[in-house]
């Protein structure tokens, strides 16, 4: 059975607040066509790929934000993506805002088989930002207002991607900074993490030390460490550029199980990057340094699940 | 109260198998004197700093290895370190092989106050390698033979270092590759991680993909990610160079809470690097992106403590 996969990450340039889904979907279909011409078997699109990053905009009443959410997939607006998948025989990963029939709201991603069937759905667990309007911030980051915490855990499924069977998992944006998310996927033998993000070029809570130039470094550092420590590939895919005056830093990457960057987007626009992934590379880490069964010591990890926040340590009392 | 600390990492060049502790201790005292002249308030020495990295040498009977272990601290051999600490008013971190009165064996580190009192002891949790002689390996890595798994967890204590009160934690060598170790320290508000290592320039289990040039990258990646994701400083301090034909890669570093390398050793010998650490830098991460109480979701982390090894995921079954 094949253990090779041609993986494409499809960075999207900015989507302005006033633009309809048809604009974004048209651009995405063109990227799928490019991916097909490059021989890719799967395309990974960013978080909230159909609209602008709307959690920067405050609505007093949640219902006023309803137009940012999808209530069905496919819909009239998103059908062209499913048609392109069939036409090009290419799977795709899509991030979008989900509103359920019960009115629940999630920051969601799906992996869609070329047949159009949803293989895996994930709802974002680590929501950054805040729930109420914050007058001290020049830009709001209202993910905790617009979304519930994901209720699906971090699922992994073994499914066909191109000609290979691949253990697929997902993260969304801020999840990538949390080693817990990577490890829960690693404990399910994930081989490919699909990860979309919308990350501003400035820390909007900037209270001092975090410089502009560290933002991309932190994103890459987290993805590279996650891949190395869990012996998996990842496609970290950005929405990039200037959305109504708000800059997103782009720098989408594909990373291998050694933590090396195999491909990187260097524009702030729509850009496809492709890497030829040998899934057999996941084995070295799993069999040696990161043989979890041989080396993990769960009896020393109790705090990780036993407490949410940090606790101050005891003070040393000298005997002398 | 001061929140500044002048931190020194004292890399050691090789210690040959035939060399006595007096050689290593003499070199360490000279490094402490240099640290004092540079204004350092604490010196971090590597793992197993008093001897060669003996787990590469096989003994059929454990008792034959007794001479590699310390049974008391200070001892005649290590007394000069304690004297230098008092003389220079400088704290020090020391890694050594510990044999207890009950005959238990651990890979241990201590932080010693300038007064000579041991402030914190840690026993290595993540032991790499194997317990029995492995004829398929050209070089043995018998840590699982010579040491028990540490029984002290990952303790943190708030203690004086120079003029500051600092939340101190420790790791030893392979621990740094495990994000669980970093997080357990982070959940105790660690501000400074003291971390010694002896790491070969080649993966001795090399079965294919891990190139020589990735070894330092993986070490730095793990330390930088650990510091960023837990908003702490670390001194990662190597034994370096050629020990009886076995190359250790050196590249000791001091890292800040943004994951940036502040200082790096560039020789394979005894080398002191120093950094001026503003402990207030730990606050930004703790109050924003890595505000654990606000953002961690322990209900999604169950596998981290609930299972040791990985489990294969379910296969996707298409509906169509």
């Amino acid at each position: 059975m094949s253990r090779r996969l041609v993986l494409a990450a499809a960075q999207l340039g900015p989507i302005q607040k006033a633009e309809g889904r048809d604009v974004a979907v048209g651009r995405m279909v063109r990227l799928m066509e490019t991916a097909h011409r490059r021989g890719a078997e799967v395309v990974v699109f960013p978080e909230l790929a159909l609209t602008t990053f709307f959690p920067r905009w405050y609505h007093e009443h949640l219902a006023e934000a309803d137009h940012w959410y999808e209530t069905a997939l496919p819909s009239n607006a998103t059908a062209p993506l499913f048609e392109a998948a069939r036409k090009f025989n290419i799977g795709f990963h899509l991030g979008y805002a989900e509103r359920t029939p019960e009115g629940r709201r999630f920051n969601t991603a799906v992996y869609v088989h070329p047949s159009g069937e949803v293989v895996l759905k994930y709802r974002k667990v680590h929501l950054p930002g805040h729930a109420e309007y914050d007058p001290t911030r020049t830009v709001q980051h209202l993910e905790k207002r617009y979304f519930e915490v994901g209720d699906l855990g971090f699922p992994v499924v073994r499914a066909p991607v191109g000609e290979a069977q691949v253990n697929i998992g997902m993260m969304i944006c801020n999840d990538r900074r949390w080693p817990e998310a990577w490890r829960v996927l690693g404990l399910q033998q994930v081989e490919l993490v699909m990860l979309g993000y919308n990350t501003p070029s400035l820390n909007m809570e900037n209270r001092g030390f975090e410089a502009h130039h560290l933002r991309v470094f932190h994103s890459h550092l987290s993805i590279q460490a996650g891949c190395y420590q869990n012996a998996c590939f990842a496609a970290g895919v950005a929405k990039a550029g200037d959305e109504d005056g708000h800059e997103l830093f782009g720098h989408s990457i594909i990373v291998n199980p050694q933590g090396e960057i195999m491909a990187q987007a260097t524009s702030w626009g729509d850009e496809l990057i492709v890497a030829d992934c040998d899934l057999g590379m996941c084995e070295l880490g799993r069999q040696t340094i990161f043989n979890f069964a041989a080396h993990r010591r769960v009896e020393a990890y109790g705090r990780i699940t036993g407490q949410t926040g940090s606790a101050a340590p005891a003070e040393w009392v000298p005997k002398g």
Side-chain angles (χ1 to χ4, degrees), chain A residues 7 27 35 40 57 91 110 168 183 200 212 215 237 256 263 265 283:
Chain A
L7 170 64
R27 287 158 55 185
W57 304 109
V110 288
I168 305 166
R183 185 61 98 222
H212 199 131
R215 300 282 288 168
V237 190
N256 77 13
E283 293 308 313

Side-chain angles (χ1 to χ4, degrees), chain A residues 26-58:
Chain A
R27 287 158 55 185
M28 292 163 79
V29 167
R30 287 192 288 279
L31 285 160
M32 290 172 81
E33 187 172 359
T34 304
H36 173 67
R37 286 202 304 270
R38 305 265 185 91
E41 297 163 295
V42 55
V43 183
V44 181
F45 290 113
E47 176 193 34
L48 300 176
L50 300 168
T51 67
T52 198
F53 185 72
F54 69 85
R56 71 170 72 91
W57 304 109
Y58 177 73

Side-chain angles (χ1 to χ4, degrees), chain A residues 5 18 27 49-50 65 83 130 148 155 172 180 204 269 280:
Chain A
L5 173 67
R27 287 158 55 185
L50 300 168
E83 289 158 17
H130 47 107
E148 291 182 47
I172 300 178
E180 292 92 338
M204 294 303 171

Side-chain angles (χ1 to χ4, degrees), chain A residues 11-27:
Chain A
Q11 177 172 291
L12 290 177
I15 301 174
Q16 308 309 329
K17 194 179 177 188
E19 289 180 306
R21 284 164 177 70
D22 57 323
V23 177
V25 167
R27 287 158 55 185

